[in-house]
Amino acid sequence: MRNAIRNWAEKWQFTMEKVMPDSFIFAVLLTFIVVIMALVFVQASPVQIVESWYKGFWAYLGFSMQMVVLLIFGYSLAITRVGVKVIDAITGIAKTPPQAVALVAGVAAVLALINWGLGIVAGIFLCLGAARRVKGVHWPLLVASAFIGAIAGTTWSISITEPLLVNTAGWGWAPDIIPVMEKDLGQKLAPMGFDKTIYAPASIVALILTPIVAMLSCYFMHPTPERTRSIDPEALKKLAAESQFTLEKPKEMALADKLNWSRTIWILTCIMIFAAIFLWFQKKSFLQLDLNMYNFIFIGLAMLLHENLARFVESIKMATKAAFGIILQFPFYAGIFGIMAYTGLLKVVAGWFVAISNTFTYPLVTMISSGIVNMFIPSSGGIWMVQGPVMILAASSLGVGFPLTVMAFTAGEVLTNTIQPFWALPLLGATGTEMRTIMGYCLIACLFEFILVALIYLFLPM
């Protein structure tokens, strides 16, 4: 079995970068596809379409900022002194190359369960540590295992977008869209607790099994020694030096420097943040956690572990580079949803999904459809804006539970991130790797995990 998987992985080592343009181009192309659909299927006028597009364009600025904060502060936490040391030390557990790639996948998955940004960024230090400690490990698979593991854990992470959004009133949709959805559904969009989504019975089984499958896939895919490509020691030293985050305290402190490095200001700020967190949890339980409080907790942890405000600020500057895609693309996703919602196209597309599904097959249809759309919109928030209302309306027509629909939707779009280069960019850049060198491994892991999760949501109770 191991040889079969290993040989299959080597045959699938090809690139999608040669045929895939930048993800922003996909957002633009999808805009025009939706424009054509609105013209053809609901006979909307060009003026109506443009007005709907503009109306939706700015509808999700608050949500866009929440997504930026989620990524940035997860990144910031990963590059704290404590974070880097702990992550690096863990890599010493593995003794053989197959164990190393499996360990990296497993640890990345666990960290992604806490925060998907943390899981992806931690993969950088996991790869560097494993390559330094374990001789003969296949570098392309090592990088791939970090990404595979992070995505496997993200699917049921408390930081994943959809469960956090549906745990708030209105489910994260724009204020003028909520009344439309509630009218069509015949019910209020009340908060849906974690016990109904990521902590439902089927989700817990998937949460346990998917990282295990990711680890086993990476373990079995490791090539034989004669086909292994280890990273050059000098290249490894260079990458390690580039990935280090250091900030030295000025020897001569001007007034501005004294304020920047003031421990008193840092301590008071941390106290205020954690006091606010304590007061929030006095009134609410963990199962009621929403996106704002989740982000607030990570702001506090990152600030605390960076040991001073100057280092904290510099880490945010570094982390911001990874968030450019969200900043650029989210308004265009919102514009796409505006066209669908305000022209009536939303109901038409929902009807299509109803026509090809029944109560049993709908979770599978949902997973496949969100996975396909993820190739065009590499963002949980963006997909939820555009496609989430469609799938909820279709689920309502078929009598499928909303929690099952939300989690099948989430699993489909997150698991296919394994073959979506967009979220791998921070890891690829820091490790000096191209997507084409890891795509074959990612494809196989994605296939195994997708089949597993589809079976879980088809047959196990929520």
Side-chain angles (χ1 to χ4, degrees):
M1 176 179 166
R2 183 174 182 180
N3 288 335
I5 295 176
R6 179 189 290 151
N7 293 334
W8 192 24
E10 291 175 0
K11 290 178 181 178
W12 276 89
Q13 272 301 85
F14 62 89
T15 179
M16 291 178 71
E17 281 189 331
K18 301 297 182 184
V19 297
M20 289 180 67
D22 186 87
S23 56
F24 174 68
I25 303 301
F26 274 129
V28 175
L29 291 176
L30 188 59
T31 300
F32 290 116
I33 290 172
V34 173
V35 167
I36 294 171
M37 291 172 64
L39 288 169
V40 174
F41 296 109
V42 294
Q43 287 77 52
S45 69
V47 172
Q48 184 185 4
I49 291 172
V50 172
E51 288 179 342
S52 298
W53 178 68
Y54 178 76
K55 186 177 179 181
F57 200 87
W58 303 112
Y60 288 101
L61 284 180
F63 174 62
S64 300
M65 187 61 183
Q66 287 176 318
M67 290 294 98
V68 169
V69 169
L70 195 155
L71 175 60
I72 286 176
F73 289 101
Y75 195 120
S76 175
L77 184 62
I79 59 177
T80 59
R81 295 185 215 271
V82 174
V84 171
K85 288 180 179 178
V86 171
I87 292 167
D88 180 74
I90 290 172
T91 59
I93 297 173
K95 303 303 178 187
T96 66
Q99 288 177 7
V101 294
L103 177 68
V104 166
V107 175
V110 171
L111 293 175
L113 286 172
I114 302 169
N115 178 294
W116 57 262
L118 174 63
I120 290 175
V121 176
I124 299 168
F125 304 101
L126 289 169
C127 289
L128 296 175
R132 189 175 71 252
R133 287 183 168 87
V134 182
K135 302 302 179 185
V137 66
H138 188 53
W139 178 251
L141 178 57
L142 186 62
V143 177
S145 66
F147 189 52
I148 291 167
I151 299 302
T154 295
T155 315
W156 293 276
S157 171
I158 57 173
S159 69
I160 193 58
T161 305
E162 292 91 343
L164 278 170
L165 288 179
V166 299
N167 206 13
T168 60
W171 295 2
W173 292 322
D176 53 343
I177 295 299
I178 294 171
V180 177
M181 289 295 296
E182 289 181 337
K183 181 180 178 182
D184 290 338
L185 295 173
Q187 67 177 70
K188 292 286 186 180
L189 298 179
M192 190 186 302
F194 287 164
D195 55 325
K196 296 180 181 178
T197 54
I198 54 176
Y199 295 149
S203 295
I204 291 176
V205 173
L207 181 154
I208 295 170
L209 293 183
T210 307
I212 293 174
V213 169
M215 293 174 66
L216 290 174
S217 298
C218 294
Y219 182 89
F220 287 127
M221 286 190 292
H222 198 281
T224 55
E226 60 271 15
R227 295 185 179 180
T228 295
R229 283 182 290 153
S230 301
I231 187 172
D232 179 75
E234 291 302 316
L236 180 61
K237 288 181 181 179
K238 182 179 178 182
L239 289 175
E242 290 175 352
S243 298
Q244 287 179 352
F245 171 64
T246 57
L247 184 66
E248 298 298 328
K249 191 174 183 178
K251 293 181 179 179
E252 295 187 10
M253 302 279 281
L255 176 60
D257 295 319
K258 290 179 180 178
L259 291 172
N260 291 338
W261 290 85
S262 169
R263 292 188 67 83
T264 301
I265 297 176
W266 168 67
I267 291 171
L268 289 175
T269 307
C270 287
I271 290 173
M272 192 166 182
I273 290 174
F274 284 100
I277 294 171
F278 175 78
L279 291 172
W280 192 92
F281 278 104
Q282 273 194 322
K283 299 176 182 178
K284 298 183 180 181
S285 73
F286 177 77
L287 293 178
Q288 295 173 295
L289 188 68
D290 59 21
L291 194 52
N292 285 334
M293 179 47 62
Y294 181 83
N295 282 339
F296 198 66
I297 291 170
F298 269 84
I299 291 172
L301 288 173
M303 184 178 293
L304 180 68
L305 293 179
H306 273 296
E307 303 166 25
N308 57 70
L309 291 179
R311 183 180 169 87
F312 172 72
V313 170
E314 198 63 29
S315 77
I316 301 305
K317 291 179 183 178
M318 183 176 178
T320 302
K321 298 176 184 178
F324 77 93
I326 296 175
I327 298 169
L328 173 63
Q329 294 179 34
F330 265 41
F332 285 85
Y333 299 151
I336 292 168
F337 178 64
I339 297 173
M340 297 184 69
Y342 301 125
T343 64
L345 182 60
L346 188 64
K347 289 184 181 180
V348 173
V349 176
W352 295 345
F353 284 104
V354 172
I356 63 172
S357 309
N358 56 44
T359 303
F360 175 73
T361 62
Y362 189 66
L364 177 60
V365 172
T366 301
M367 281 188 65
I368 293 172
S369 63
S370 65
I372 292 171
V373 174
N374 186 47
M375 295 296 101
F376 296 90
I377 306 177
S379 160
S380 296
I383 296 175
W384 183 246
M385 289 181 211
V386 176
Q387 194 183 358
V390 175
M391 306 313 294
I392 291 297
L393 286 175
S396 178
S397 297
L398 289 167
V400 178
F402 292 156
L404 176 58
T405 303
V406 169
M407 289 313 302
F409 180 92
T410 302
E413 61 92 359
V414 176
L415 288 175
T416 50
N417 276 335
T418 313
I419 55 174
Q420 167 56 264
F422 181 76
W423 292 117
L425 291 176
L427 175 64
L428 295 174
T431 57
T433 311
E434 296 180 4
M435 192 67 191
R436 65 186 177 85
T437 64
I438 71 171
M439 181 59 82
Y441 304 119
C442 291
L443 276 167
I444 292 173
C446 179
L447 179 62
F448 289 157
E449 293 167 18
F450 199 94
I451 292 172
L452 168 70
V453 176
L455 292 173
I456 288 173
Y457 281 128
L458 283 173
F459 293 102
L460 295 185
M462 284 292 289

